[in-house]
Structure formats: structure tokens, C-alpha cells
């Protein structure tokens, strides 16, 4: 009888609704167990839950710490700023450790801590939901392994422009669906936000998800002024180097912070002179007029393959980008902290202080490290190592189809200044900033003042020390000049031309935007330098190292067959 399923004898069910197994024989009980096991295996095989796609986590009896089904949600846009120095760029890297946290890591952490977005749901192999708490160490601590709680798809999360390590942003924009104070419509209040109509005992009602109410009577009135104070909530949880500035309550339908953005503006700051000089010598200043002339050649639609870093992982073939504006702008109203010539009058100090400029660049989209490559060429022009026409030569890909070898500019002075949208579609709401308690994190003005004050004090102290050292060197130089002139009058020997004079090294100092210049050997013009391989060769070599599955989906040929364009889907921002 082994393996044969025996139908158990009919037993009258007790009032509790359970089966009374006390009167069953041993063989009948064994057969019943096998029958139930067989049914369970069949149900699991037919289930839509795939065993290999489940993340196995320890079971927990803890209840979820927040019930998002009790609230409505809405898609909003956030405008925020950050100082890039302490971060490993904007984008969070799932599954990889970075030396510094990313800006998105801190933003995701704040969104989760504020319960503005739901954590990602995980299932056990048996289909039950894992209820492990997101905040195992309390709400004030960081979130351990934050990547497993991030669900960009359900959050409808999009970002405008990616910035790399060290790069700052003053007008970054993201779109995200967040918890709202909006009351639920009447059907939602009765059934629950995600309830099915089939749960209601009404056979005449069609089954399926609840549709939004079509009449105004079904949805209570709600004004955005009664909404959750998103800006204040997030600033309370974010570090002082990341500040949310505004929010857009009603972005257009299917809003994407990336694709709805019409233009992006970058500023790259630099000083003139760009580096310290020896006391008694004239500072090496940049030729601003020549840089302005060269910058204007960037404007218009051009192929920038020689002015970016080739990202073979994206298999890009179209490097044309449109630049709306490119210019060199002087920063005014900056109080000097030291003079290039010590012991001068106040007016003379104003005239001799290091000046600050920025390269302003506006365009619809940019390639990887494009801005920093463009700035590097402008610095060479400003040093008179290259003529402004070198920009034209680099943009002429017919005569220069491959990129010459040269270094891009430093990352720290670069700022994503603003992301521009249609003002009729994206209307920013800037909350009042004078209601927060002093010294609190949500006090945007106070926290930024503290950041500026500390940095300015450091600048004043270091500037004063630098001025003192310049003064001491100037005094020493004058004393040596007097002594040398005295020796010359007494002996008639000019020691300044002695054989002990140091030999000047035959090298070139290159400005790259960092605090100190970089020393190279004899300078070689850009057009005479060695070249990289063609874009086609770089793309093919990268694709050859990838799997066949990857090549069938992402190679240049596969993308061309699927009609995927580089300009919209796979362009990089700085």
C-alpha cells in the first residue's frame, strides 16, 4: 500500500471547524500527510514566486515599524545643494564599498528615516514577508547595508545630473514618490489603499484594483500648504554639507528629473594668478582675454570626443553635444585676505589681490568629464602654451579623429550650478527659512552660515600667514640686495653671476585648477602629441571582455538594432 493515497474515512467535523484525527488509523494518518505534502509541492511549483529570485533573510516576529498602506503618496521634485569635497560623488553604488559616502547614500538614508519612502520588501522562500526592522540601532543611527532597502523603481526615483567625486552642486534635482498628508478618497478609506474589489461581498462589482475616484465629491479637498514640510524634514536628517532648497508639488505626468531637464549650467572656479610665485618675481597670471576667445569656440553643436573621457561601458558612438553658452566671468565683491605684495596701502592691496573667475558653461547634456577637459584646454591657452585656435582643432574630428593625450582639470572647483526646467511645468516652492530654531539642522541659513564662517576663518588665518611669509621673504630679499650692492662697491665682484648660481630646470608648470601647479618636462603642443585609439576600437575591446549576453543587449551593434540612441539614453553628466 506504500505510495497509494488512501481516502480518509468520513469523520464528522467538530464545531471548531477542525478535523478530529483521534479516530483515524495510523495508515490513514500517514496517507493524509503524504497527500498534504503532494498538494503543497504542487502549489509551490505553480506559484508565481520564483525560488531563485528570493532573498533569504532571517525570520523575524517583529511587526513592520511603519504601515505605509495607511497613507497616500505623491510624486514630487526636490532641488538641493551639496559641497562635493566630503563625498564620493552623487550616485550610490549598489553592492560596492567606496572610501567616502555618496550624496545619494545620505539622501536615501534621510528619506527612509523620515518614513517618506517605504523600504524594499523582501520575501522568505515560503512566500512570507520579511519584517526585519530597517533601523536596528535606533532612528538616530545610520542605516546598515542601506542598499538592500532602496527600491528606486517603486520610489519612481530619477536624478538630473550625475556628479563625480569632489564635484559640488547648487541646483541638483531629483524626482521621487513620497508619503503625503493628502487624505484618501472614500473608497480607499473603506477598503484600504491596495485592496481588491473582490474582497467586497458584491458580485456585481468588477474585480481588479480600485480606480481613482472621478468626481470631486469622492476626494476631500487638499492644499499644498497643508502638506508635509519635506524641506524641513529632510534638512533635519541630512548633514550640513547637503541642503534641500525647494520642492515642486506638481511636476508633469511621468516626470523624469533627467529627461525633463532642458539645460544644465556648470561653473568652474579658479584664481588668477593660479599658483603662488616667488617673492620679488612677477606672478604668472593667466591671459583671461585669450581664454574668453577660446571659450566662445565651444558654443554651438560640436563633436566633443576629443574633449571627454571615453566610457566604453556605455558603447557611445554619438559625441555631438550642443553648448548654449561658454564664457569666462569675473567674481566681484570678494574681500581680500592677503596681498601679493606685502606692506602695501589698502588700495594697493585691493589692486594686487588674487582675482577669482569662473568658466560658465550651459548646455542640454554633457559627456563624461567633458567640462573638466574643456577647462584644461582653456588653462593651456591662458598660460600661452596653446593658441585659442587649439579648440577649433580639437573639435575638427575629420582632421583629428582621435583624442590627444592630456590631463583634465581638477575636480574640486567644479559646481553643477543649476538644472533648468520649463517654468510652466516645474514650479519651485521655496519655504520660509526663518522659522527654524537656531543651531538646528533644519535651519538652512544658519547651517550654511556656519559652514561659510568656519571656511572663511580658515581662509583669513591661512591668508594672513601667507602674507606674513611673503613679507618675511621680501625683507630678506631686500637685505640681501643691500649686502650684495655693498660687496660690489667694495670689491667690484658681482657674486650674482658666480658659478654657484642654481641652474634653472628646463621644465613647464601646468595649471590644472588644483592649489599647486604640476611640473612637466619640455612642453609639447596638443596637436603634436600621441593619440588614443579610435572610439570604435575602444568600444570593441571592451565588449570583447564582456559576456555574450551583455553583448547581445548593450554592444554598439545591439543598441543600433534596438534603435537606442546615445544622446537621450546613455549620455553622462560631469
Amino acid at each position: 500500500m506504500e505510495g497509494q493515497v488512501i481516502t480518509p474515512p468520513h469523520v464528522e467535523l467538530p464545531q471548531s471547524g477542525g478535523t478530529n484525527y483521534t479516530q483515524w488509523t495510523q495508515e490513514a494518518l500517514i496517507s493524509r500527510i503524504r497527500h498534504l505534502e503532494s498538494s503543497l509541492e504542487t502549489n509551490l511549483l505553480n506559484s508565481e514566486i520564483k525560488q531563485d529570485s528570493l532573498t533569504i533573510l532571517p525570520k523575524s516576529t517583529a511587526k513592520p515599524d511603519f504601515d505605509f498602506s495607511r497613507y497616500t503618496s505623491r510624486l514630487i521634485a526636490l532641488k538641493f545643494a551639496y559641497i562635493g569635497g566630503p563625498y564620493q560623488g552623487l550616485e550610490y553604488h549598489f553592492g560596492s564599498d567606496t572610501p567616502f559616502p555618496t550624496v545619494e547614500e545620505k539622501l536615501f538614508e534621510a528619506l527612509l528615516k523620515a518614513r517618506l519612502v517605504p523600504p524594499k520588501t523582501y520575501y522568505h522562500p515560503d512566500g512570507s514577508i520579511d519584517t526585519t526592522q530597517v533601523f536596528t540601532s535606533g532612528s538616530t543611527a545610520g542605516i546598515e547595508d542601506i542598499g538592500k532597502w532602496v527600491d528606486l523603481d517603486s520610489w519612481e526615483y530619477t536624478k538630473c545630473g550625475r556628479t563625480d567625486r569632489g564635484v559640488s552642486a547648487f541646483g541638483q534635482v531629483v524626482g521621487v514618490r513620497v508619503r503625503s498628508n493628502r487624505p484618501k478618497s472614500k473608497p480607499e478609506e473603506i477598503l484600504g489603499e491596495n485592496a481588491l474589489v473582490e474582497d467586497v461581498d458584491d458580485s456585481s462589482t468588477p474585480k481588479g484594483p480600485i480606480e481613482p475616484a472621478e468626481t470631486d465629491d469622492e476626494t476631500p479637498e487638499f492644499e499644498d500648504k497643508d502638506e508635509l514640510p519635506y524641506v524641513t524634514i529632510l534638512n533635519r536628517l541630512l548633514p550640513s554639507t547637503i541642503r534641500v532648497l525647494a520642492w515642486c508639488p506638481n511636476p508633469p505626468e511621468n516626470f523624469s528629473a533627467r529627461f525633463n531637464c532642458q539645460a544644465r549650467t556648470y561653473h568652474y572656479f579658479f584664481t588668477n594668478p593660479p599658483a603662488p610665485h616667488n617673492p620679488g618675481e612677477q606672478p604668472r597670471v593667466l591671459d583671461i582675454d585669450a581664454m574668453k576667445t577660446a571659450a566662445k569656440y565651444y558654443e554651438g553643436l560640436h563633436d566633443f570626443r576629443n574633449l571627454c573621457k571615453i566610457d566604453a561601458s556605455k558603447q557611445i558612438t554619438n559625441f555631438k553635444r550642443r553648448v548654449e553658452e561658454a564664457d569666462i566671468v569675473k567674481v566681484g565683491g570678494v574681500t581680500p585676505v592677503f596681498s601679493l605684495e606685502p606692506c602695501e596701502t589698502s588700495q594697493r592691496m585691493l589692486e594686487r589681490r588674487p582675482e577669482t573667475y569662473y568658466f560658465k558653461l550651459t548646455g542640454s547634456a554633457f559627456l563624461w568629464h567633458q567640462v573638466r577637459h574643456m577647462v584644461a584646454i582653456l588653462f593651456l591657452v591662458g598660460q600661452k602654451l596653446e593658441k585659442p585656435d587649439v579648440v577649433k582643432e580639437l573639435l575638427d574630428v575629420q582632421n583629428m579623429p582621435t583624442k590627444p593625450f592630456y590631463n583634465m582639470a581638477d575636480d574640486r572647483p567644479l559646481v553643477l550650478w543649476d538644472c533648468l526646467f520649463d517654468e510652466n511645468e516645474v514650479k519651485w516652492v521655496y519655504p520660509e527659512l526663518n522659522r527654524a530654531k537656531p543651531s538646528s539642522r533644519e535651519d538652512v541659513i544658519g547651517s550654511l552660515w556656519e559652514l561659510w564662517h568656519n571656511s572663511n576663518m580658515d581662509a583669513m588665518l591661512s591668508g594672513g600667514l601667507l602674507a606674513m611669509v611673503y613679507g618675511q621673504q621680501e625683507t630678506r630679499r631686500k637685505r640681501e640686495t643691500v649686502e650684495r650692492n655693498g660687496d660690489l662697491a667694495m670689491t667690484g665682484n658681482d657674486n650674482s653671476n658666480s658659478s654657484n648660481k642654481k641652474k634653472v630646470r628646463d621644465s613647464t608648470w601646468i595649471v590644472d585648477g588644483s592649489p599647486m601647479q604640476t611640473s612637466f618636462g619640455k612642453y609639447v603642443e596638443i596637436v603634436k602629441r600621441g593619440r588614443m585609439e579610435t572610439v570604435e576600437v575602444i568600444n570593441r575591446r571592451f565588449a570583447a571582455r564582456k559576456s555574450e549576453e551583455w553583448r547581445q543587449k548593450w554592444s554598439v551593434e545591439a543598441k543600433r538594432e534596438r534603435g537606442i540612441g546615445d544622446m537621450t539614453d546613455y549620455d553622462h553628466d560631469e
Side-chain angles (χ1 to χ4, degrees):
M1 297 180 62
E2 186 175 354
Q4 181 179 357
V5 178
I6 300 178
T7 304
H10 175 72
V11 180
E12 185 177 354
L13 297 178
Q15 293 182 355
S16 62
T19 302
N20 185 1
Y21 292 104
T22 58
Q23 301 180 20
W24 286 37
T25 64
Q26 183 179 4
E27 291 181 352
L29 287 171
I30 293 174
S31 297
R32 176 60 172 166
I33 292 173
R34 289 175 176 170
H35 175 73
L36 292 175
E37 288 178 342
S38 177
S39 299
L40 179 60
E41 291 177 358
T42 302
N43 290 336
L44 288 176
L45 289 174
N46 294 333
S47 174
E48 294 181 355
I49 302 175
K50 296 182 179 179
Q51 185 81 9
D52 56 356
S53 66
L54 299 176
T55 301
I56 301 177
L57 295 175
K59 291 188 177 181
S60 172
T61 57
K63 295 181 179 180
D65 58 347
F66 196 84
D67 186 3
F68 280 89
S69 65
R70 297 174 55 193
Y71 300 88
T72 58
S73 65
R74 67 187 302 177
L75 179 64
I76 66 171
L78 294 171
K79 176 183 282 190
F80 62 104
Y82 50 87
I83 304 298
Y87 302 103
Q88 192 75 18
L90 168 71
E91 195 170 63
Y92 177 71
H93 303 279
F94 289 88
S96 62
D97 294 329
T98 55
F100 301 99
T102 65
V103 175
E104 280 188 339
E105 182 177 339
K106 294 299 181 182
L107 179 62
F108 294 159
E109 188 174 282
L111 288 168
L112 286 166
K113 281 186 175 182
R115 274 68 168 180
L116 293 179
V117 294
K120 190 173 184 178
T121 303
Y122 281 82
Y123 295 89
H124 292 298
D126 60 0
S128 62
I129 297 177
D130 181 87
T131 56
T132 303
Q133 299 291 317
V134 179
F135 310 104
T136 56
S137 303
S139 60
T140 58
I143 301 177
E144 185 178 355
D145 193 14
I146 187 174
K148 75 177 185 179
W149 303 113
V150 174
D151 192 352
L152 300 184
D153 291 335
S154 69
W155 298 355
E156 299 179 34
Y157 178 84
T158 58
K159 54 179 171 284
C160 184
R162 193 188 77 174
T163 56
D164 290 319
R165 177 178 175 178
V167 179
S168 301
F170 289 177
Q172 181 67 271
V173 174
V174 298
V176 61
R177 179 167 292 279
V178 293
R179 174 169 59 92
S180 173
N181 259 351
R182 282 176 172 173
K184 290 186 175 184
S185 61
K186 291 183 179 180
E188 289 177 329
E189 291 177 352
I190 297 173
L191 302 176
E193 186 178 22
N194 298 318
L196 295 178
V197 178
E198 62 185 5
D199 296 331
V200 183
D201 187 14
D202 185 358
S203 58
S204 63
T205 305
K207 296 182 179 182
I210 297 176
E211 298 295 333
E214 297 182 358
T215 62
D216 294 337
D217 296 337
E218 296 293 335
T219 304
E221 293 184 1
F222 181 80
E223 297 183 7
D224 289 330
K225 65 181 180 64
D226 299 322
E227 186 55 276
L228 291 170
Y230 297 116
V231 174
T232 301
I233 291 173
L234 290 172
N235 282 330
R236 187 182 300 135
L237 298 170
L238 288 166
S240 60
T241 47
I242 305 175
R243 299 285 83 185
V244 180
L245 306 177
W247 73 294
C248 173
N250 301 297
E253 187 177 359
N254 299 322
F255 172 76
S256 168
R258 182 179 184 184
F259 297 120
N260 282 87
C261 181
Q262 297 181 336
R264 299 163 177 84
T265 296
Y266 283 91
H267 287 182
Y268 190 99
F269 291 86
F270 61 93
T271 60
N272 196 26
H277 63 284
N278 293 325
E281 297 180 359
Q282 288 295 321
R284 301 175 182 178
V285 296
L286 298 170
D287 187 339
I288 299 299
D289 290 336
M291 295 176 69
K292 280 177 168 286
T293 300
K296 287 300 176 183
Y297 294 147
Y298 287 134
E299 294 181 348
L301 181 64
H302 302 288
D303 189 313
F304 285 93
R305 69 181 62 202
N306 294 329
L307 290 151
C308 71
K309 185 174 181 179
I310 306 299
D311 186 0
S313 67
K314 302 299 181 184
Q315 298 285 284
I316 296 177
T317 58
N318 187 347
F319 292 85
K320 289 186 177 180
R321 298 293 185 271
R322 182 176 296 279
V323 172
E324 301 294 341
E325 181 182 6
D327 198 6
I328 304 295
V329 183
K330 185 177 181 180
V331 177
V334 179
T335 303
V337 293
F338 73 96
S339 170
L340 295 177
E341 293 184 4
C343 305
E344 295 285 352
T345 62
S346 298
Q347 182 60 36
R348 183 63 173 168
M349 285 182 66
L350 289 173
E351 295 174 357
R352 296 295 296 168
R353 77 182 191 274
E355 297 176 329
T356 304
Y357 293 83
Y358 63 88
F359 171 51
K360 181 181 180 181
L361 183 67
T362 300
S364 57
F366 297 94
L367 298 159
W368 193 19
H369 293 321
Q370 179 182 338
V371 182
R372 291 165 63 186
H373 279 78
M374 296 168 74
V375 172
I377 297 300
L378 293 181
F379 281 150
L380 295 177
V381 173
Q383 289 184 270
K384 299 182 179 180
L385 297 172
E386 298 283 351
K387 295 181 179 179
D389 286 348
V390 69
V391 173
K392 292 182 178 180
E393 295 178 276
L394 289 169
L395 294 175
D396 185 1
V397 296
Q398 296 297 325
N399 293 325
M400 192 179 293
T402 54
K403 176 187 172 184
F405 290 107
Y406 64 94
N407 294 330
M408 61 182 176
D410 191 53
D411 53 18
R412 190 65 182 268
L414 180 59
V415 181
L416 174 58
W417 194 258
D418 201 5
C419 298
L420 307 177
F421 295 82
D422 187 334
E423 295 182 354
N424 295 321
E425 292 185 347
V426 179
K427 298 180 180 180
W428 296 110
V429 176
Y430 294 87
E432 294 185 37
L433 301 179
N434 57 355
R435 293 183 176 179
K437 297 179 181 179
S439 302
S440 62
R441 281 194 173 185
E442 64 264 32
D443 180 13
V444 175
I445 293 178
S447 60
L448 291 179
W449 174 272
E450 181 181 4
L451 185 66
W452 171 84
H453 183 273
N454 292 337
S455 300
N456 196 47
M457 291 300 106
D458 289 341
M460 292 182 65
L461 293 173
S462 58
L465 179 58
L466 184 60
M468 184 184 71
V469 172
Y470 264 112
Q472 292 171 344
Q473 292 298 308
E474 182 72 11
T475 301
R476 180 194 61 79
R477 188 181 66 84
K478 289 181 178 179
R479 183 175 64 250
E480 290 180 350
T481 301
V482 171
E483 293 175 353
R484 185 169 59 251
N485 291 338
D487 292 341
L488 178 61
M490 294 178 61
T491 64
N493 295 325
D494 187 359
N495 294 328
S496 62
N497 295 323
S498 65
S499 59
N500 295 328
K501 188 175 181 180
K502 293 183 179 179
K503 183 179 180 180
V504 178
R505 185 174 56 178
D506 185 15
S507 62
T508 305
W509 295 90
I510 303 297
V511 174
D512 64 356
S514 62
M516 304 299 291
Q517 294 175 318
T518 304
S519 177
F520 289 90
K522 187 176 181 180
Y523 184 77
V524 178
E525 295 180 9
I526 289 288
V527 296
K528 297 179 181 179
R529 296 185 185 183
R531 307 284 180 84
M532 296 178 60
E533 295 175 315
T534 64
V535 172
E536 293 75 16
V537 171
I538 295 174
N539 283 337
R540 282 199 302 268
R541 179 177 290 111
F542 180 88
R545 298 197 303 265
K546 306 300 287 186
S547 65
E548 181 63 26
E549 181 182 0
W550 186 94
R551 288 194 294 271
Q552 291 178 358
K553 186 176 182 180
W554 298 115
S555 67
V556 173
E557 294 76 15
K559 285 167 53 181
R560 187 179 295 116
E561 291 179 1
R562 290 156 54 204
I564 297 179
D566 294 327
M567 284 289 288
T568 56
D569 290 0
Y570 293 95
D571 58 329
H572 268 288
D573 286 324
E574 184 65 34

